């Protein structure tokens, strides 16, 4: 499946960096799921909102994934200029 959008500049929060113990390669599979529209552990309403943002409204995109170490969120801004990987507690 092709990428549906660009991530832009990718930023990691301190909490995520600590969660993966500085091994950013652990995040790559989740970033790839995100750009393919596989939104992870979200409600059906949130997944639908992402699909609408992607195809109609141009809004922010949110994904949630469970790593063995804990949960992460990936947020891509509406203009697709940047994406942030963060812990839910850092939102």
């Amino acid at each position: 499946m092709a990428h549906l959008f660009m991530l832009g500049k990718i930023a990691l929060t301190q909490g995520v960096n600590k969660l993966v113990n500085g091994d950013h390669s652990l995040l790559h599979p989740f970033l790839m799921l995100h750009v393919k529209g596989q939104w992870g552990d979200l409600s059906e309403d949130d997944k639908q909102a992402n699909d609408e943002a992607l195809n109609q409204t141009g809004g922010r995109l949110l994904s949630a994934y469970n790593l063995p170490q804990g949960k992460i969120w990936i947020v891509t801004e509406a203009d697709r200029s940047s994406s942030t990987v963060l812990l839910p507690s850092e939102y």
Side-chain angles (χ1 to χ4, degrees), residues 9-20 24 27 30-31 34 42 60-67 69-77 82-91:
K9 182 179 178 181
I10 300 170
L12 309 177
T13 62
Q14 289 181 347
V16 168
N17 194 44
K18 186 175 180 180
L19 183 77
V20 299
H24 302 153
L27 301 172
F30 302 101
L31 290 165
H34 181 68
L42 294 179
R60 263 181 159 186
L61 301 169
L62 167 69
S63 292
Y65 304 103
N66 293 304
L67 283 70
Q69 305 91 320
K71 189 171 200 165
I72 61 166
W73 285 356
I74 303 174
V75 178
T76 299
E77 296 303 324
S82 66
S83 296
T84 304
V85 185
L86 66 155
L87 303 177
S89 62
E90 295 176 306
Y91 186 73

Side-chain angles (χ1 to χ4, degrees), residues 45 47-59 61 80:
D45 287 343
K47 289 178 182 180
Q48 183 177 354
N50 275 349
D51 291 338
E52 289 172 5
L54 187 60
N55 299 311
Q56 298 167 2
T57 64
L61 301 169
R80 312 298 184 249

